């Protein structure tokens, strides 16, 4: 059983059903109680007293031993252009995190945060501007989903770990979260419906490949060579482009899952025809998919997005080389602020 206690109470929403069962057996509670409570928690019921098949006495006992982590809505922004909703959530300790719900033809998708702040300090990103505060617990990742589902009265079918934070820098909690969220007695969101985005922590990519989870791995490449990548992503000084691509090839070999490369296209930084050519030389034959993201300008960094025609020209060059490249649709443009900006503004 992991050490997940906080204020001397156990963080019950970070436990899997079998672990709740084990913990309940210490209180001489029958095993069916674990399934009941797990199912309530996954449905977003954040108070034992509101679980209607649990007596008042039992609710009090559980409340003494277990803490239920929650996401309270601090702010909510609804797009006027599409159905995108952006939340600023307040956690039990008062910290703020962001999540975004997007509507697609196939259903609802949520982009969740995995850390408060980020250590990686990529120069184009708002999430790391104020440094790193702490990792999120599995329960706090789950709560972003249950709170949004409850608020919008919807069922979310896809999860992207692309909000604030570096998921592979919070490896154990993220893996645990994925097990909880895909559990059949809970939200039952299949691992194939989960995408994890990483800035490229190479040893963790190898570790993840060993788990052989059928998730989609997205790698934030953003540059085809060490010179440019190191100038915008500090992590490239530790794990260079070649080492990263080698890990990605091994990941594909081991899991059979095609990797998606994120490429935030920034004017006069990584948008030249030479960059497209180098990208081809790097990824040729890897079965990869390249997702071009129009860079979201963050006040503090002065980066600009190329205009639409230039982004399309870059994409066409990649396609001409035989690469599989798409441009990410930007949803909720009117309420946007790339991830991390909302929290930064509210902190100030
Ligand atoms: N830390 C992880 C996941 C969170 S960031 C990672 O870096 O992959 C999610 C994605 O948003 C990453 O691809 C990241 O590079 C991208 N991103 C961050 N700031 C951006 C910005 N200002 N414009 C466009 N994409 C951005
Ligand atoms: Fe962290 Fe990802 Fe932002 Fe880089 S892009 S600072 S890794 S959240």
């Amino acid at each position: 059983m992991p050490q997940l206690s906080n204020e001397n109470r156990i963080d019950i929403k970070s436990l899997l059903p079998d672990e709740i069962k084990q913990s309940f057996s210490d209180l001489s509670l029958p095993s069916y109680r674990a399934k009941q409570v797990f199912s309530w928690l996954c449905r977003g019921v954040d108070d034992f007293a509101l679980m209607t098949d649990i007596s008042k006495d039992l609710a009090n006992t559980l409340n003494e031993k277990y803490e239920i982590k929650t996401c309270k809505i601090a702010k909510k922004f609804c797009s006027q252009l599409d159905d995108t909703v952006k939340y600023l959530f307040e956690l039990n300790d008062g910290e703020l995190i962001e999540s975004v719900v997007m509507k697609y033809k196939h259903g609802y998708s949520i982009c969740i945060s995995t850390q408060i702040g980020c250590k990686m300090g990529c120069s184009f990103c708002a999430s790391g501007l104020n440094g790193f505060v702490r990792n999120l617990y599995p329960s706090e990742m789950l709560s972003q989903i249950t709170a949004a589902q409850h608020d919008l009265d919807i069922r979310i079918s896809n999860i992207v770990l692309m909000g604030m934070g570096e998921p592979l820098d919070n490896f154990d909690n993220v893996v645990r979260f994925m097990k909880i969220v895909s559990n059949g007695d809970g939200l039952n969101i299949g691992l194939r419906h989960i995408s994890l985005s990483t800035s490229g922590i190479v040893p963790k990519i190898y570790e993840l490949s060993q788990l052989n989870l059928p998730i989609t791995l997205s790698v934030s490449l953003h540059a085809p060579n060490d010179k440019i990548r190191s100038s915008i992503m500090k992590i490239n000084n530790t794990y260079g482009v070649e080492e990263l691509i080698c890990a990605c090839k091994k990941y594909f070999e081991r899991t059979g899952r095609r990797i998606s490369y994120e490429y935030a296209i920034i004017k006069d930084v990584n948008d030249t025809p030479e960059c497209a050519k180098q990208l081809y030389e790097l990824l040729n034959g890897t079965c990869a998919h390249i997702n071009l993201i129009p860079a979201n300008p963050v006040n503090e960094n002065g980066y600009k997005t190329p205009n639409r025609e230039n982004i399309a020209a870059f994409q066409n060059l990649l396609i001409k080389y035989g690469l599989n490249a798409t441009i990410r649709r930007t949803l909720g443009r009117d309420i946007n602020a790339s991830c991390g900006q909302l929290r930064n503004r509210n902190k100030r």
Side-chain angles (χ1 to χ4, degrees):
M1 172 94 55
Q3 284 299 310
L4 292 160
S5 325
N6 190 20
E7 14 155 303
N8 296 324
R9 291 192 296 168
I10 294 171
D11 170 15
I12 192 167
K13 239 172 156 173
S14 287
L15 300 183
L16 282 152
D18 279 349
E19 293 166 339
I20 299 180
K21 210 188 281 181
Q22 176 64 43
S23 183
F24 277 12
S25 74
D26 299 343
L27 298 173
S28 307
L29 290 174
S31 62
Y32 74 89
R33 287 288 187 205
K35 208 168 159 177
Q36 274 177 338
V37 169
F38 181 73
S39 163
W40 281 116
L41 294 171
C42 290
R43 275 181 276 158
V45 175
D46 290 333
D47 184 344
F48 293 114
L50 298 177
M51 300 178 182
T52 50
D53 47 13
I54 283 176
S55 71
K56 226 177 173 179
D57 280 353
L58 179 54
N60 287 337
T61 309
L62 294 177
N63 204 35
E64 272 167 31
K65 181 148 179 175
Y66 301 99
E67 180 194 13
I68 302 181
K69 301 251 189 222
T70 61
C71 274
K72 265 198 300 194
I73 301 173
K75 285 196 176 154
K76 176 181 172 186
F77 301 87
C78 301
S79 170
Q80 304 298 310
L81 303 173
D82 49 58
D83 291 312
T84 304
V85 180
K86 185 155 187 164
Y87 291 100
L88 185 70
F89 285 125
E90 185 181 336
L91 303 176
N92 290 25
D93 63 358
E95 288 291 346
L96 298 171
I97 54 167
E98 300 177 26
S99 324
V100 183
V101 177
M102 294 150 289
K103 191 177 178 189
Y104 291 99
K105 272 194 218 108
H106 58 260
Y108 287 94
S109 181
I110 188 166
C111 174
I112 64 162
S113 297
T114 54
Q115 295 182 313
I116 304 171
C118 185
K119 290 177 207 161
M120 304 300 145
C122 304
S123 62
F124 49 82
C125 176
S127 293
L129 280 180
N130 290 319
F132 172 76
V133 179
R134 69 169 172 84
N135 282 329
L136 291 185
Y137 295 103
S139 52
E140 292 169 325
M141 296 177 220
L142 177 64
S143 293
Q144 295 171 60
I145 304 173
T146 54
Q149 283 199 150
H150 185 258
D151 180 55
L152 298 172
D153 197 17
I154 55 167
R155 186 183 179 281
I156 287 168
S157 54
N158 286 67
I159 304 168
V160 290
L161 303 173
M162 274 198 192
M164 199 189 308
E166 167 50 54
L168 296 189
D169 187 41
N170 187 12
F171 192 91
D172 292 347
N173 284 342
V174 163
V175 170
R176 172 171 278 276
F177 158 74
M178 294 194 289
K179 285 183 183 159
I180 292 172
V181 93
S182 58
N183 189 286
D185 291 327
L187 288 180
N188 197 17
I189 299 177
L191 292 170
R192 284 176 197 281
H193 295 259
I194 301 179
S195 296
L196 184 156
S197 177
T198 179
S199 57
I201 304 183
V202 166
K204 295 291 173 186
I205 293 178
Y206 285 113
E207 206 176 325
L208 189 66
S209 75
Q210 263 144 19
L211 300 179
N212 214 349
L213 306 171
I215 59 168
T216 299
L217 181 65
S218 295
V219 172
S220 298
L221 187 57
H222 304 322
N225 60 51
D226 283 330
K227 187 158 178 263
I228 303 178
R229 195 163 191 268
S230 293
S231 74
I232 54 177
M233 299 179 77
K234 276 196 307 201
I235 189 167
N236 198 71
N237 295 317
T238 312
Y239 309 110
V241 171
E242 268 191 29
E243 203 182 346
L244 173 60
I245 299 300
C246 181
C248 292
K249 285 181 181 162
K250 288 269 159 51
Y251 185 91
F252 177 62
E253 267 169 42
R254 275 196 198 146
T255 64
R257 306 285 298 168
R258 203 173 68 147
I259 290 191
S260 172
Y261 291 94
E262 308 292 307
Y263 197 96
I265 185 153
I266 310 171
K267 191 172 179 325
D268 301 329
V269 175
N270 61 4
D271 62 341
T272 61
E274 180 56 25
C275 284
K277 182 163 170 267
Q278 288 182 11
L279 212 48
Y280 157 71
E281 283 159 1
L282 195 64
L283 301 179
N284 182 25
T286 59
C287 248
H289 170 247
I290 301 163
N291 200 4
L292 298 171
I293 316 167
N296 213 327
V298 173
N299 287 343
E300 289 82 349
N301 64 27
Y303 290 132
K304 295 201 173 75
T305 320
N307 64 35
R308 267 229 226 124
E309 290 70 32
N310 290 353
I311 298 177
F314 193 85
Q315 179 197 20
N316 286 336
L317 260 181
L318 296 179
I319 292 172
K320 224 170 20 198
Y321 283 128
L323 294 177
N324 178 354
T326 50
I327 301 176
R328 183 186 288 169
R329 234 174 94 211
T330 38
L331 288 175
R333 230 170 322 146
D334 54 332
I335 54 164
N336 219 344
S338 57
C339 223
Q341 283 192 319
L342 198 55
R343 173 173 172 271
N344 290 348
R345 266 208 299 275
N346 281 275
K347 267 190 80 166
R348 279 185 210 128

